[in-house]
Amino acid sequence: MAEGGTELAVRKQLPVVSDRPLAKAGLQSERVLWPDRGPGVFEREVEEIEDALLLTTVEKAVAWAQSNSMWPDTFGLACCAIEMMSIVSSRYDIARFGMERFSSSPRQADLLIVSGRVTHKMAGPLRQVYDQMLEPKWVIAMGACASSGGMFNNYTILQGVDKVVPVDIHVPGCPPRPEALMEGIVRLHEKVMAGVPPAYEIRGVAS
Ligand code: SF4
C-alpha cells in the first residue's frame, strides 16, 4: 500500500466523474441508472487501491529487476582486481544475484567496479567507459586507492575516482577481501530496492 502522502496525491487526482466506472467491470449499481453521478465512496476507494497497488508494485518490480540483473563491467586496474575476480568463484558465487556476467563492453554493463589505483593518464579512459554505459548505472570504488588514492599520494595517481565519475558505494580496505566487495554489492542492492537514485542523479552531474 502507498504511504499517506501518496494516497492523498492519488485522491486529488481522481476525476469528478470516474473514467473507470464499476459498471464497466460488470457491477450493477446506481451508476448504471445515473451515469453522470460522480463516483461513490466505494468506487473511489477501489480506484485508490488500484492506483496505489499499481504504483507500488511496478516500482518495486523494476527495482527488484534492476538490483538482480546488474552486469559489472570488466575494469580491473591493480591488485584489488584479483580480489574482485574471486567473487565469481563458487566460494562467493555472485551468480546468485544474476551478476556473474562481467561484460567486456560498457554498452552491456550497468555497474562499474573500479578496483585499483587510477593514474591521471587512465582517468580519461575510465570516464569514457563510464559514459558508454547505459542508464541507470552505478559505480563502486573498491579499495583505498580507488576511493582516495590510498598510499599513493603522488603526482601520478588520481586521489579518488569520484573526481571523474559519481560513486555510489565506497568499499574500504587494502585490498578489501571479496566478502567486503560482496557487502558493498548487497548495500548497493538495498539502495536500489529502497528507491535511492544513482549517484549521478543525486550529485546532479552529467551522467
Ligand atoms: S587498495 Fe591496496 S590492494 Fe587495492 S589497488 Fe590499492 S594498493 Fe592494491
Side-chain angles (χ1 to χ4, degrees):
M1 291 290 293
E3 296 175 5
T6 309
E7 286 181 13
L8 208 60
V10 169
R11 191 186 299 273
K12 286 177 184 169
Q13 290 168 5
L14 282 176
V16 178
V17 177
S18 174
D19 56 355
R20 288 177 292 164
L22 292 177
K24 282 188 179 175
L27 191 70
Q28 301 300 313
S29 68
E30 72 273 16
R31 165 159 301 289
V32 180
L33 305 174
W34 193 355
D36 293 338
R37 186 174 182 275
V41 174
F42 176 62
E43 286 181 90
R44 280 181 174 276
E45 288 178 350
V46 169
E47 289 184 8
E48 285 173 9
I49 290 171
E50 282 180 355
D51 289 338
L53 285 177
L54 183 67
L55 285 174
T56 53
T57 53
V58 168
E59 286 174 351
K60 284 184 178 174
V62 170
W64 174 82
Q66 286 176 340
S67 60
N68 283 276
S69 61
M70 284 181 185
W71 284 358
D73 188 84
T74 307
F75 205 84
L77 288 165
C79 8
C80 272
I82 306 300
E83 305 296 317
M84 180 185 68
M85 291 173 209
S86 333
I87 61 174
V88 296
S89 67
S90 56
R91 184 182 181 94
Y92 301 104
D93 191 20
I94 201 176
R96 67 189 129 142
F97 302 125
M99 296 177 65
E100 74 276 24
R101 184 190 180 279
F102 273 71
S103 177
S104 297
S105 167
R107 296 170 187 83
Q108 297 170 347
D110 45 18
L111 173 62
L112 184 61
I113 303 175
V114 185
S115 52
R117 51 193 170 272
V118 182
T119 61
H120 287 290
K121 196 171 183 179
M122 197 63 189
L126 171 69
R127 178 69 202 202
Q128 187 175 9
V129 166
Y130 176 78
D131 285 340
Q132 290 177 349
M133 292 166 61
L134 296 177
E135 296 181 9
K137 52 192 173 186
W138 298 270
V139 176
I140 292 179
M142 179 184 178
C145 289
S147 297
S148 65
M151 69 183 92
F152 301 99
N153 186 10
N154 58 42
Y155 65 93
T156 61
I157 301 297
L158 192 67
Q159 300 299 295
V161 291
D162 57 350
K163 291 181 169 53
V164 288
V165 291
V167 176
D168 296 89
I169 296 282
H170 292 270
V171 178
C174 176
R177 283 187 53 84
E179 290 92 340
L181 179 57
M182 296 295 283
E183 172 83 8
I185 289 171
V186 170
R187 292 278 173 257
L188 180 59
H189 288 171
E190 289 175 355
K191 285 179 72 173
V192 174
M193 286 298 291
V196 178
Y200 60 82
E201 282 189 25
I202 296 175
R203 286 175 53 173
V205 296
S207 57

